[in-house]
Amino acid sequence: MTAAATEPASPYTPSPAEPLPHQLLYALAQHRIATTRQLHELVRPSVARQTVSTPLNNLRQEGLVDYAVLPRSNRTRAWYLTSEGARLTRDLPALRGRPPYPITSATAASLKTPHTLTVVRTHLAFAADARHRGDEHSYLDWTPEVSHPIGDGEKVIADAVMHYTLLDSELRRKLRAFVEVDRSTMSSERLAVKLIEYARLFQYEAQPVGRRRPTSAGPGWLRWYPVFPRLLFVLTNASRARLADRISDLQAMAAQHPLVTALAREVPLGAAILEDIEQHGPTSPVWIPLTGGDPRPWTEL
């Protein structure tokens, strides 16, 4: 046996798995703000919560993360990256291309937490269901606040873009979805207008710079997606009767607006109540198709 064969492995050999503090930085850079419990469920759902709390406090001592205490929450902490943490994570491979999102104070964090934490709640429901089913979906397969141009200097910003691989026997289905989370803070009409924005994205064709004659390179969304993602509306924070009315208004827009009707012929559109998703799982028949029909799983819209 050669000397080289008997030497112990270098202690600096990279591990195939990211260390937990790195995963926490990744998760906060990706999700913007998350509570201790949410981070625990995202990155280490099978271990004690203290396993996540200790490295979070260490990262805070290093000046990379900080937290805001949520009101009326038994001092629940909502964690976020500091400016230094955002700078450090900006060029990490899994986050390359994502704009930095530093939050400069606990006050600034508190203004963003209600909506942002609800978006994270929505992701947790999909992530837990994927683990239960054995599908492929990680905490980095959910990208909040994704912006796309729709022409005339305007853009549509999705609350999240989800990537999900459905495993069924030997079949692998790669699914994508734009996710819109509605906390009932805007009018029902303004919510339904989001459908028009996505319909414009579906048809928008960017013109190459410097061309004298209009030329088409195909729909602009093909730069990012092989198939236009399905569109999922997740509603919460109101009575069931009010949420049902908001879903009816979405269905009316899908039936009456010509651009949205054209979108609905090609793209699955559905809406569900967040509490139903959390209780039964998103692959249960809790999604109402915006084109009508019986509730079904989001994978079968």
Side-chain angles (χ1 to χ4, degrees):
M1 183 177 295
T2 65
T6 60
E7 290 179 358
S10 167
Y12 304 107
T13 301
S15 167
E18 291 286 345
L20 178 56
H22 293 186
Q23 290 184 326
L24 292 170
L25 290 173
Y26 275 126
L28 286 175
Q30 189 82 343
H31 291 77
R32 313 309 200 189
I33 302 171
T35 66
T36 308
R37 181 190 64 80
Q38 288 177 330
L39 288 168
H40 172 247
E41 293 184 17
L42 279 172
V43 300
R44 286 291 194 278
S46 59
V47 302
R49 189 179 303 182
Q50 187 63 31
T51 305
V52 169
S53 299
T54 299
L56 279 172
N57 288 317
N58 292 338
L59 290 170
R60 183 171 185 258
Q61 291 177 1
E62 296 174 22
L64 299 178
V65 305
D66 206 344
Y67 65 80
V69 177
L70 301 181
R72 301 180 298 279
S73 67
N74 195 26
R75 297 196 60 77
T76 296
R77 297 177 177 184
W79 296 88
Y80 57 90
L81 294 181
T82 63
S83 296
E84 180 61 20
R87 185 198 63 78
L88 180 68
T89 59
R90 182 177 55 205
D91 296 323
L92 292 175
L95 301 170
R96 200 162 289 152
R98 294 284 290 144
Y101 194 78
I103 297 173
T104 55
S105 69
T107 300
S110 66
L111 294 174
K112 300 175 183 294
T113 50
H115 182 74
T116 304
L117 293 182
T118 306
V119 175
V120 179
R121 271 182 65 191
T122 303
H123 183 200
L124 288 174
F126 282 94
D129 197 48
R131 287 193 301 271
H132 175 72
R133 292 172 46 85
D135 294 333
E136 293 181 8
H137 178 78
S138 82
Y139 65 96
L140 294 176
D141 291 327
W142 177 278
T143 308
E145 300 173 40
V146 179
S147 172
H148 294 306
I150 55 178
D152 299 325
E154 299 178 63
K155 58 187 176 181
V156 58
I157 302 176
D159 283 331
V161 172
M162 177 175 63
H163 295 262
Y164 192 104
T165 301
L166 190 68
L167 303 181
D168 185 8
S169 185
E170 300 299 321
L171 183 66
R172 292 166 53 88
R173 291 177 59 200
K174 293 186 179 297
L175 303 177
R176 302 156 198 85
F178 292 121
V179 183
E180 288 293 328
V181 177
D182 171 50
R183 296 178 53 250
S184 306
T185 54
M186 67 175 70
S187 70
S188 185
E189 181 179 1
R190 284 185 58 198
L191 174 66
V193 165
K194 293 289 289 188
L195 281 167
I196 301 176
E197 295 176 356
Y198 281 102
R200 290 176 60 190
L201 173 61
F202 185 65
Q203 296 194 353
Y204 174 63
E205 297 185 9
Q207 295 299 323
V209 177
R211 295 274 188 177
R212 293 185 179 181
R213 297 181 179 178
T215 59
S216 175
W221 55 264
L222 283 171
R223 292 180 56 190
W224 300 281
Y225 314 105
V227 176
F228 196 86
R230 62 195 59 209
L231 180 51
L232 306 177
F233 286 85
V234 178
L235 296 82
T236 189
N237 202 40
S239 68
R240 284 196 168 263
R242 186 180 174 195
L243 295 179
D245 288 342
R246 294 172 80 80
I247 292 174
S248 294
D249 289 344
L250 288 169
Q251 291 178 312
M253 180 68 78
Q256 297 169 8
H257 194 285
L259 289 181
V260 181
T261 300
L263 173 71
R265 284 196 294 265
E266 304 291 336
V267 177
L269 311 175
I273 295 173
L274 176 55
E275 287 74 14
D276 290 343
I277 298 172
E278 291 176 322
Q279 181 178 355
H280 303 290
T283 50
S284 296
V286 296
W287 295 87
I288 299 173
L290 297 190
T291 52
D294 295 331
R296 63 199 65 179
W298 74 275
T299 55
E300 298 177 17
L301 287 168

